[in-house]
Amino acid sequence: MNIKKITLLTGGALVSALLLPPAAALATPSIPKNFLLYEKEARKDTKHEHWLLSQNDNLIEVENIQCSGAKLKKDWIARRDLTYDPHMGGGEKTSAERGEQVLLFAKASAAEKLMTEFRTRLTKCGKLVKAIDPKIGDNSVGAARATKSTKSNPVPQTQQFIAVRKGTAVAIYWDMHNDTPAISTLAKHQADATKMAAKLCTIGDC
């Protein structure tokens, strides 16, 4: 922060004061490079053979399970996404991915609003999903959904995610796979979410 000291002459007396920069000049909260658990690994893949990294622009959907086409409000102030695909560019039938996302909000209430929306979406899914309560951070939520093959949708799909909030930050670990083996588990997502929950206060307010 650039702080200047000036001396004023007031009523015959010298008065020292500090000139602070305006609020707009203060640094905007951000997510440091390599903050995400898998970010160093992703950045090594410079040819994007398996990893994709997105930050603030060109973002993917906030991964979770929903049973409607509703979109999330984009009220975060910083965000970073990592996606791993073992067979980049493969066919739909053998598609499988996993990922990590961190979202930073200005207020804890905004971060909690996102978590509430996740739970609301799962409630609307009814018996289509299996929800869990991992007990991580300030609060957390997770679920799995398996869509069977039908005539109209011949490719089965399984989705899993766990989201954790700590103060003003939220982290999400997810995976999905079609007619091919899964590349992660809910237990692995929970372990990652637990590890990340211990770091989130370093980028947000707790």
Side-chain angles (χ1 to χ4, degrees):
M1 182 183 296
N2 183 21
I3 302 176
K4 295 181 179 179
K5 185 175 182 180
I6 63 172
T7 302
L8 301 176
L9 181 61
T10 305
L14 291 177
V15 179
S16 294
L18 294 179
L19 286 182
L20 299 177
L26 298 177
T28 301
S30 62
I31 301 171
K33 182 179 179 180
N34 293 330
F35 179 79
L36 278 64
L37 299 183
Y38 296 97
E39 190 169 343
K40 284 186 178 180
E41 183 179 353
R43 289 186 184 275
K44 291 178 182 179
D45 185 10
T46 57
K47 295 182 179 180
H48 306 299
E49 295 178 335
H50 299 291
W51 286 96
L52 294 176
L53 184 153
S54 301
Q55 179 172 312
N56 294 333
D57 54 0
N58 192 30
L59 296 169
I60 64 174
E61 170 65 19
V62 176
E63 289 296 334
N64 63 101
I65 296 172
Q66 63 170 336
C67 300
S68 67
K71 294 184 178 181
L72 295 170
K73 293 183 178 179
K74 299 180 180 180
D75 54 355
W76 48 82
I77 57 176
R79 176 179 162 187
R80 189 166 302 149
D81 304 334
L82 299 178
T83 304
Y84 173 76
D85 187 335
H87 305 290
M88 195 76 74
E92 179 185 7
K93 188 174 183 180
T94 59
S95 177
E97 297 177 334
R98 66 177 174 86
E100 175 182 24
Q101 298 175 304
V102 171
L103 300 89
L104 183 60
F105 296 81
K107 297 180 180 179
S109 58
E112 176 55 26
K113 186 176 180 180
L114 177 64
M115 300 295 289
T116 299
E117 186 162 354
F118 288 161
R119 296 188 191 91
T120 300
R121 290 182 173 203
L122 295 179
T123 299
K124 292 181 178 179
C125 289
K127 295 182 178 180
L128 295 176
V129 300
K130 180 180 179 181
I132 63 171
D133 184 8
K135 306 293 185 185
I136 309 169
D138 291 334
N139 52 67
S140 56
V141 61
R145 178 185 182 185
T147 304
K148 296 181 178 180
S149 174
T150 64
K151 289 184 178 180
S152 59
N153 185 26
V155 180
Q157 184 179 85
T158 299
Q159 299 171 273
Q160 301 181 119
F161 88 101
I162 286 181
V164 58
R165 180 183 72 84
K166 189 70 175 178
T168 58
V170 173
I172 306 166
Y173 294 88
W174 62 272
D175 74 285
M176 62 78 62
H177 64 96
N178 291 345
D179 195 11
T180 191
I183 55 176
S184 192
T185 64
L186 274 176
K188 176 59 176 171
H189 294 332
Q190 183 165 339
D192 287 343
T194 300
K195 187 175 182 178
M196 177 54 76
K199 297 178 59 178
L200 291 177
C201 287
T202 64
I203 62 169
D205 295 331
C206 290

